[in-house]
Amino acid sequence: MKEGQTVDTEKAGWEPRIIAFLCNWCSYAGADLAGISRLQYPPNVRVIRVPCSGRVNPYFIIKSLQHGVDGVLVSGCHPGDCHYINGNLVARRRFAIFKSILEFMGVEKGRVQFSWISAAEGERFSQVIKEVTEEIKALGPGKRFVKEI
Amino acid sequence: MIDLTIDDESLKVEEGTTILQAAEAAGIKIPTLCYHKALSWYGACRICLVEISMNGGSQIQASCQYQVQPGMVVRTDSERVIRTRKIMVELLLARCPNSKKIRELADELGIRETRFPKRDEDCLLCGLCVRMCHERMGKSTIGFAKRGIAREVVPPFEERSEVCLGCGSCEFVCPAEGIKPEDICKKEIKPIASEFDEKLSQRSAIYIPFPQAIPNKAVVDRENCVHFLTEKCEVCKEFCEADAIDFSQKDQLLDLDVGAVILAPGFEEFDAALKGEFGYGVYPNVVTSIEFERILSASGPYKGKVLRPSDQRHPKRIAFIQCVGSRDPSCNRGYCSSVCCMYATKEAIIAKEHDREVEPTIFFMDLRAFGKDFDKYYERAQKEYGIRYVRSMISAVKQMQQNKNLKLKYINDGREIVEEEFDLVVLSVGLIPSEKIQQLGRSLGLKLNKYGFCETQDFASVKTSKDGIYVCGAFQGPKDIPETVIQASGAASFVQGDLASVRGGLVTKKEYPPEIDVRGQPPRIGAFICHCGINIGGVVDVPSVVRYAQTLPHVSYAMDNLYTCSQDAQEIIKEKIKEHNLNRVLVASCSPRTHEPLFQETIREAGLNRYLFEMANIRDQCSWVHMQQPEAATEKAKDLVRMAVAKAAKLEPLQRLRLSVIPRGLVIGGGISGMSAALSLARQGFEVYLVEKEKDLGGIMRNIHYTLEGKDTQQFLRNIENEIRNNQLIQVFTNAEPKEISGYIGNFKTALTSGEELEHGVVIVATGGEELKTEEYLWGKNESVVTQMELEQRLSRKSSEISNLKCVVMIQCVGSREDARPYCSRTCCSESIKNALKIKETNPEAQVFVLYRDMRTYGFKEDWYREAREKGVIFIRYSEQEKPQVREDEGSLRVSINDEILDETLILQPELVVLSVATVPYQENKSLAQMLKVPLNDDGFFLEAHVKLRPVEFATEGIFVCGLAHSPKFLDESITQANAASSRASVILSQDEIEAEGTVAMVNTTRCSACGMCESLCAYKAIEVKTVDEKRGITTAVVTEAMCKGCGACVANCRSSALNLRGFTDDQIFSAISSF
């Protein structure tokens, strides 16, 4: 980003870049189903497939934000549906705490989001992507952790 | 071949091609309206205009009809073209201002308003419908009539046509939504109803039957497909890029040589229209439970919104009516369908979760939550979700004319007749064997019962009346998912036994070339980008993605394929690996969930380790979901490829762990479950150790003398014991229990209390359960208060004591379904009926009272409940809050109970009070669970890996469970579960070695602080903190790779970053992140 640019001018025509960590068994499959059903959603999200939402280290999220990504979505199986019995519950506990740390660090609410999407919920996946993209768009570029040179 | 230029691109196309076709093939888009790929050109709309320069001059022509000529220079977007096209669109917009399609075209060209006077036509005269009907449907039902401005599309004589098929293709192609088949066709137009959506939505004649279909491929419905009606159409063929549609396919009769048959034909729902009083099929807002299931589904007709069919409004008050076509001899459905109480509860909860406003009410007779943990679910439904349960049957449903609401009349708690209005009524329909299934059974010569379900042999619920033919699932009797899955594995165990001598006879082993050692080599990535026909290529600019991929670091080679998954593409990938010495492969195409194994296999065949593979999903998660944004989709595809390349560069070859298997089983517990499991394994040819803590085999079954159906259990037990004793493969250890168990799947070591050390490949837990020793109702204080089992002992002795009885009171749910044990013991209702009938049989004069909370005689046991009532057994309901009182009065017993129907307290004076006490797990389960590192549920029963789909396995591989150790159940159910456990166990035992996935956790011991967080998190007990070097005092986490499932929960939680997950390492994921 060039120096002297204000957020407002940047916002015109600006599109957020979002990383989504999806678990292989539910949310990634839900994303596939959205595709099979041809449900259209904004093209701002790049998916990184992980075996389970429990695999998502909070540092992945920090790293993404440091890299200049504007938003992060983590999605796993619904509670009780985890392919690995309780990996998503481990993730839930972890992110419940992590959320408050993000808040403490000054990351706006909504920049990092968590959801449960099952393999049958293509419709919901596209809906979540729409909402997340809209919310992050409204927040503007994520610069909290980006070193400006 | 003809050379020409379109938009500066030089093309070579065949003679006779139109400009439009040439442009399309080159990926240049020209807007069209009256053009259709499957129809002859017409040139009516002039939207597809292009500017052609040749021989010094230039002209505007419709590209759909103008054929290519040598040396042509075509511009599709010159100023003149755009200007002319705009005028055409404006003219069309003036004619049909309400057409969505024309509005879209206008928007694309930046036209806000037409400058011509507007007319309100709904026909463009584009002739698509006329051509479609004539050329493809072979009917010519419609044609142009009149001239000039009066010109219109009509059927002959403007009368509705008899020739018309009512296929709707005219409506389908019409860009102005101006044609209605109802106005053309004399016949009634019937859309094809979707079977999967229970006819609540429509489908086309070529369709994928349901989202989870295997194979997930389209089928042609020959009854509705126009091709099969007129031999024409074949429009789908024009659009299928893979050329996969073959109308010449015929049904085939195949002859298969098999050694055994398993029948699993399922069930059908009871036709609710047969119970006319509920108005199903007449009132739109009366639906069956299976229809409601679709309504609730996210992929259903209303996309998961809770709506009612008549007006698609949110229903607030929903009534469920239970037992529609169940427990009803009037329609020959005397049995209980076993599952409806729970599915109604589930649907009510889901409806409530989808829409908080919903107020579900369930009208029922007895709430039969008899499955494992079902009662807790029922409790939650009431307390957490506020679902109302009303114990009353509905005699009739009436519709209100105005709002299509429904009025239900019933008797409430206060014994008054009340009328209540509901927005939607759901009928909980029963399960029946379809006529077709019954015919199948009959043609195989099988015995069916009076309801048409398959009859099975005593104590073997999967063996039909014919040797070698087995049955599982609802054809044997209505049942829930876990029982169905258990029976399926149980049936498989018998087949595995029958065919043990030829096991693996049809298996051929695949040979692979040795793996290329890629260690130390810099990454050389091959990127294969797929067009997937037009699925990706139609949206994403694939050639530019390939060009982009070539510029990425470490990419040595990149190419595109029409279908990367095709057979020839696999050969190409293999060739390119050799040619370019590739050591990592990336495929950018569809989903790794479906295609990763195929490509992994391909690169393995080329000598690469299968984990040196990465995929980018540019179809399901890109081209298909950004169809209107080709540029953004292309950018996204490039990003996805770049991120995947970054990860691929970091991939390491992984080894799948190979473990040898000790082909022996250990069965813990020598009751009927353990004995059956041992016998089943032995029948399949495996050695078995059977360990029993007492001095004799038999367990709790020694106290059971006959079944409800009147079968002799003791004779059966003796036979089984004999079989075990005579079987060389089974080694029995009595007075012995496991003291220590170590090892993992395929390689366990067990030390017994009797001193033996056993080595085995699997463990089957069959430790059983026992009757609760209750302190209620004077049991143990008064000799005349006995448990059902104690009564059964006396009954089996046929003593005169029984024949002299005048009055017996049985009390149900003693110790079950209350705070201390919030589960149903499942068997007690039927056991009490069994014993009540036995008393009536020896002494018809005896009065028998059964005091119950819900009679849970599920399945065919309902018939016996009815018989008991017919024989005069009196059933009186009590509630948990108002339990019956038993006291001693001058040496004789007094039972008082409040009768809800009479609304009076009855005092009974029985000579015998019989308690139906709970079935409880053994206390020893706790220590065994710790030894095996498997979980127990809150009630102390063993907890399986998945309550529905994996009912005999633990999450820890190689360990299985069956019988009462799992939950209370009947003899035949225990036996089937034992067979199921042995079937699942033999999957391991029948292999010489087993392969574990390569994507497992690993430990960097120098970083590990041995905090133990990982150990507490692992659901599979695959990681533990151990002292690995006592001398140097090194304590660290250790992964048992054979048990690790690769979820990565421990890895992400490691505070020292000592853990990593192979295939998804931190480094690999960071690479992907930082390349975005």
Side-chain angles (χ1 to χ4, degrees), chain B residues 618-914:
Chain B
I618 61 168
R619 187 188 73 179
D620 306 44
Q621 296 178 10
C622 187
S623 67
W624 276 351
V625 290
H626 313 307
M627 295 170 103
Q628 314 303 331
Q629 295 156 282
E631 277 160 28
T634 305
E635 279 315 302
K636 178 168 171 178
K638 285 179 184 171
D639 286 348
L640 290 173
V641 167
R642 186 176 65 245
M643 290 163 78
V645 163
K647 186 182 171 193
K650 304 266 180 173
L651 291 175
E652 291 291 330
L654 303 181
Q655 294 313 318
R656 289 188 175 179
L657 192 68
R658 287 172 171 279
L659 305 161
S660 63
V661 174
I662 303 166
R664 267 192 303 274
L666 167 71
V667 178
I668 307 171
I672 187 60
S673 301
M675 287 196 286
S676 304
L679 260 184
S680 175
L681 279 178
R683 262 201 308 265
Q684 297 175 54
F686 301 111
E687 285 179 51
V688 193
Y689 300 126
L690 178 59
V691 178
E692 166 59 40
K693 63 177 176 181
E694 287 177 37
K695 68 180 202 309
D696 293 313
L697 294 175
I700 202 168
M701 189 175 172
R702 286 195 302 256
N703 304 328
I704 301 171
H705 298 268
Y706 46 85
T707 65
L708 180 57
E709 294 80 11
K711 310 296 177 203
D712 186 345
T713 48
Q714 290 306 310
Q715 183 58 45
F716 176 72
L717 186 59
R718 280 192 292 277
N719 292 348
I720 283 229
E721 276 185 274
N722 275 337
E723 248 187 276
I724 294 218
R725 217 165 293 132
N726 296 329
N727 198 314
Q728 302 292 320
L729 292 171
I730 304 175
Q731 208 178 331
V732 181
F733 300 88
T734 47
N735 287 320
E737 280 179 82
K739 193 169 65 188
E740 201 186 325
I741 304 172
S742 62
Y744 45 83
I745 175 174
N747 300 273
F748 288 102
K749 260 198 195 109
T750 299
L752 298 182
T753 47
S754 51
E756 284 90 351
E757 289 257 335
L758 310 175
E759 290 191 351
H760 48 97
V762 296
V763 183
I764 296 179
V765 177
T767 48
E770 58 186 343
E771 274 195 321
L772 171 74
K773 307 218 168 11
T774 182
E775 287 174 0
E776 284 183 288
Y777 304 120
L778 306 178
W779 185 78
K781 296 182 190 98
N782 186 315
E783 269 189 7
S784 297
V785 178
V786 296
T787 67
Q788 288 288 358
M789 255 183 214
E790 287 164 348
L791 170 67
E792 195 165 329
Q793 295 280 26
R794 296 191 195 187
L795 286 170
S796 70
R797 272 187 255 121
K798 296 198 170 67
S799 60
S800 58
E801 176 198 5
I802 299 295
S803 46
N804 292 334
L805 280 176
K806 286 197 190 72
C807 179
V808 180
V809 170
M810 297 183 175
I811 303 175
Q812 300 301 108
C813 293
V814 180
S816 300
R817 302 182 64 194
E818 54 186 35
D819 289 344
R821 266 169 294 311
Y823 62 88
C824 164
S825 293
R826 189 174 177 121
T827 57
C828 346
C829 286
S830 305
E831 292 295 289
S832 66
I833 284 173
K834 173 178 92 174
N835 290 335
L837 282 169
K838 202 79 181 174
I839 294 170
K840 282 281 185 188
E841 187 187 306
T842 26
N843 180 9
E845 299 307 309
Q847 270 195 316
V848 183
F849 294 91
V850 178
L851 315 185
Y852 73 103
R853 286 174 57 193
D854 285 283
M855 281 313 283
R856 293 184 168 173
T857 45
Y858 58 92
F860 304 124
K861 294 181 168 63
E862 180 71 14
D863 285 341
W864 300 97
Y865 176 31
R866 193 173 317 107
E867 186 171 327
R869 278 175 292 163
E870 280 162 10
K871 290 252 166 79
V873 178
I874 295 164
F875 292 85
I876 303 171
R877 220 188 76 78
Y878 73 89
S879 67
E880 197 188 347
Q881 293 75 31
E882 277 188 287
K883 282 187 176 182
Q885 305 290 325
V886 177
R887 63 197 152 83
E888 236 176 35
D889 198 2
E890 294 167 14
S892 60
L893 287 164
R894 294 273 188 283
V895 180
S896 54
I897 179 164
N898 181 39
D899 186 311
E900 283 182 345
I901 298 173
L902 302 174
D903 199 17
E904 263 174 46
T905 303
L906 301 181
I907 311 276
L908 306 168
Q909 299 186 29
E911 292 111 320
L912 199 61
V913 168
V914 187

Side-chain angles (χ1 to χ4, degrees), chain A residues 93-112:
Chain A
R93 286 206 296 274
R94 190 181 296 150
F95 293 125
I97 298 167
F98 183 59
K99 260 186 179 171
S100 56
I101 297 174
L102 283 173
E103 199 183 328
F104 175 74
M105 292 191 298
V107 174
E108 307 93 320
K109 203 169 164 255
R111 199 170 288 288
V112 177

Side-chain angles (χ1 to χ4, degrees), chain A residues 24 32 40-41 46 55 67, chain B residues 591 593 627 1064 1066 1076:
Chain A
N24 180 51
D32 283 350
Q40 306 296 302
Y41 55 79
R46 306 290 176 267
R55 169 68 187 98
H67 182 63
Chain B
S591 174
R593 289 179 46 84
M627 295 170 103
F1064 293 93
D1066 288 349
F1076 173 35

Side-chain angles (χ1 to χ4, degrees), chain B residues 142 301 308 823:
Chain B
I142 40 175
R308 63 179 202 169
Y823 62 88

Side-chain angles (χ1 to χ4, degrees), chain B residues 119-274:
Chain B
R119 289 165 61 186
D120 189 17
E121 298 280 346
D122 59 1
C123 177
L124 293 167
L125 299 173
C126 68
L128 274 172
C129 52
V130 177
R131 280 175 288 151
M132 184 57 91
C133 191
H134 175 69
E135 293 173 20
R136 287 296 184 158
M137 304 300 129
K139 283 294 168 197
S140 304
T141 310
I142 40 175
F144 286 112
K146 302 177 192 160
R147 289 180 185 200
I149 55 162
R151 194 168 161 89
E152 58 178 347
V153 174
V154 283
F157 309 112
E158 298 191 27
E159 272 175 22
R160 289 203 289 163
S161 162
E162 275 174 23
V163 180
C164 178
L165 293 166
C167 69
S169 61
C170 49
E171 187 184 16
F172 186 74
V173 290
C174 180
E177 299 130 49
I179 193 158
K180 298 264 167 308
E182 298 86 73
D183 303 335
I184 299 165
C185 187
K186 202 151 201 179
K187 281 179 280 191
E188 195 195 339
I189 306 287
K190 275 193 199 142
I192 314 169
S194 158
E195 292 85 355
F196 181 58
D197 270 341
E198 292 292 320
K199 312 209 158 131
L200 293 166
S201 69
Q202 295 160 17
R203 64 159 171 85
S204 49
I206 184 164
Y207 67 112
I208 295 174
F210 47 95
Q212 304 85 346
I214 297 173
N216 205 280
K217 303 221 161 112
V219 291
V220 175
D221 164 6
R222 277 184 291 195
E223 273 171 29
N224 288 301
C225 170
V226 174
H227 174 77
F228 287 95
L229 298 173
T230 66
E231 293 187 356
K232 302 269 275 191
C233 189
E234 302 192 13
V235 172
C236 51
K237 273 185 114 164
E238 303 286 337
F239 286 86
C240 179
E241 294 278 322
D243 207 10
I245 296 166
D246 177 8
F247 289 110
S248 67
Q249 274 184 355
K250 291 257 164 4
D251 290 346
Q252 282 176 297
L253 277 179
L254 301 178
D255 280 315
L256 301 175
D257 289 324
V258 296
V261 178
I262 297 178
L263 300 177
F267 67 91
E268 206 172 65
E269 318 89 85
F270 174 78
D271 178 6
L274 293 176

Side-chain angles (χ1 to χ4, degrees), chain B residues 458-478:
Chain B
D458 302 345
F459 307 108
S461 71
V462 296
K463 276 180 145 179
T464 68
S465 54
K466 221 168 179 178
D467 278 351
I469 302 184
Y470 303 93
V471 64
C472 60
F475 185 31
Q476 189 265 332

